[in-house]
Amino acid sequence: VPALVSRWLASPGVAVTEGDVLAILQSPEVASLEARLLSAYAADEIQQKETARFQALRDRKLISDAEFERHSALAEQSRAEYISLRGLLKSAGLNEADLDDIIEHRKVTNQFGLRAPASGLLVERIAQVGELLDAGRAFAMLADPTAMWIEAHLTEQQLREVEIGQTLTFASDGRGLDRVGGAIIWVSRVLDPHTRTGTVRARVVGPAHHLQAGEFGRAHIMSQDEHEVVLVPRDAVQWEGCCNVVFVRETPDRYRPRKVDLLDGDGGYYQVTGGLHAGEEVVVNGAFLLKTELKKTSIGAGCCGLEPAG
């Protein structure tokens, strides 16, 4: 129903329980519905008593079955009107206790409480005090902080490799090592015309997390064919005109340049697809210096297949 807020009783950020009164509203339509409810209740009470009287008359064969059925139909119609008005007032925001109180005390008022339809966190008070909102408008926003989504924006190529049910892990900008897991529940098939990215949505698995709504971070999606790869720090890789090389440690004072095949990796690392085995030590700090020192001798030849030592 159209209504306005005369007073807010709850503030944003407060946890509320289902049925708590969030605000006091005013609506002339509610007063009209309450008056009709009392009238329908009185009519239903009369019809119920009449039904009991007609039942006794039929049992004594003083009226016909057809006459009793006609009266029963009128009683059902009266009952339906009463139930309908209770439903309309409940849709407006009143609960069963409010309706019973109206009937018991025979009171009609244009004020009623805006109750929380579910337990959660009051995120936003949409309606302003004194503002008349049309029927069907939202007055406030509630959220369940234990049920959260993670939305990731992926490129066209990345979207093709994602399916519903895959695992997604998320790390916020401020907690790189504190990862939260989720299961993908929706994959967009429409790209944003400006960024050329699509959205993937995952439901956070488990309520034991410290995510805040609106956090930004980095998401990692486990692909179906994911396997272990060798990673090498980006600072360890040197470009030698025709290839990428790293300096592999052979002895405490002996290093050998080696050609490697690379793919882009995560963060400060490259994925190594050839030329280096897991566990081999490479020079990170000082790799450029070694390249410069050996440039005059044979590092160029090493890139072509020779492996000079230094």
Side-chain angles (χ1 to χ4, degrees):
V1 296
L4 62 83
V5 175
S6 60
R7 182 160 53 100
W8 277 104
L9 303 180
S11 301
V14 173
V16 297
T17 305
E18 180 179 357
D20 286 353
V21 178
L22 306 180
I24 302 300
L25 306 185
Q26 292 184 4
S27 173
E29 284 199 21
V30 165
S32 175
L33 288 173
E34 290 177 353
R36 289 172 56 192
L37 176 71
L38 290 176
S39 177
Y41 174 76
D44 181 63
E45 286 284 290
I46 293 174
Q47 289 294 341
Q48 296 302 319
K49 293 177 181 178
E50 284 292 297
T51 298
R53 187 172 68 86
F54 271 72
Q55 177 71 51
L57 292 174
R58 188 182 69 164
D59 293 342
R60 294 162 57 188
K61 307 297 183 180
L62 297 177
I63 61 173
S64 65
D65 290 342
E67 188 176 356
F68 177 77
E69 292 297 333
R70 283 195 297 270
H71 177 79
S72 296
L74 292 175
E76 288 297 325
Q77 184 178 354
S78 176
R79 167 62 63 167
E81 175 68 12
Y82 172 61
I83 294 175
S84 173
L85 285 166
R86 287 185 72 97
L88 287 172
L89 285 166
K90 288 177 67 176
S91 297
L94 282 70
N95 62 10
E96 293 288 350
D98 294 330
L99 300 180
D100 293 340
D101 186 62
I102 292 171
I103 292 171
E104 180 181 355
H105 296 94
R106 301 293 195 272
K107 65 176 185 180
V108 174
T109 176
N110 66 346
Q111 287 195 347
F112 64 103
L114 175 67
R115 297 183 180 273
S119 298
L121 202 65
L122 179 60
V123 177
E124 182 183 1
R125 298 193 308 201
I126 299 174
Q128 303 299 316
V129 174
E131 178 186 8
L132 180 65
L133 295 187
D134 296 332
R137 291 282 300 278
F139 281 72
M141 183 181 296
L142 291 178
D144 181 1
T146 63
M148 301 192 73
W149 286 344
I150 298 171
E151 288 191 348
H153 299 283
L154 278 62
T155 64
E156 298 178 51
Q157 180 59 39
Q158 291 171 333
L159 277 176
R160 295 189 184 99
E161 302 175 6
V162 176
E163 296 178 0
I164 293 176
Q166 287 180 256
T167 300
L168 178 147
T169 57
F170 171 83
S172 70
D173 292 338
R175 297 194 298 270
L177 298 178
D178 187 7
R179 293 184 175 270
V180 177
I184 293 178
I185 59 174
W186 181 75
V187 180
S188 172
R189 296 305 176 191
V190 179
L191 297 177
D192 184 285
H194 302 290
T195 63
R196 305 304 301 169
T197 61
T199 302
V200 169
R201 183 176 297 145
R203 180 185 291 112
V204 176
V205 178
H209 60 77
H210 303 286
L211 292 179
Q212 302 294 325
E215 277 192 82
F216 286 88
R218 187 179 183 88
H220 177 72
I221 299 174
M222 306 290 289
S223 63
Q224 300 295 338
D225 58 348
E226 190 149 330
H227 57 279
E228 292 185 355
V229 297
V230 177
L231 299 178
V232 64
R234 291 180 182 268
D235 291 341
V237 179
Q238 300 297 318
W239 175 251
E240 192 43 43
C242 64
C243 56
N244 290 301
V245 297
V246 295
F247 290 91
V248 181
R249 181 180 183 181
E250 294 185 337
T251 65
D253 57 354
R254 183 181 180 89
Y255 304 90
R256 187 178 299 276
R258 187 184 300 172
K259 177 182 176 180
V260 290
D261 299 319
L262 304 173
L263 291 176
D264 195 18
D266 189 11
Y269 294 87
Y270 289 114
Q271 294 185 43
V272 181
T273 59
L276 190 67
H277 300 290
E280 290 188 293
E281 296 185 36
V282 297
V283 177
V284 181
N285 296 327
F288 180 78
L289 178 61
L290 286 176
K291 168 189 169 180
T292 303
E293 292 295 323
L294 295 179
K295 183 72 175 177
K296 301 175 183 179
T297 56
S298 56
I299 189 169
C303 182
C304 297
L306 300 177
E307 295 187 349

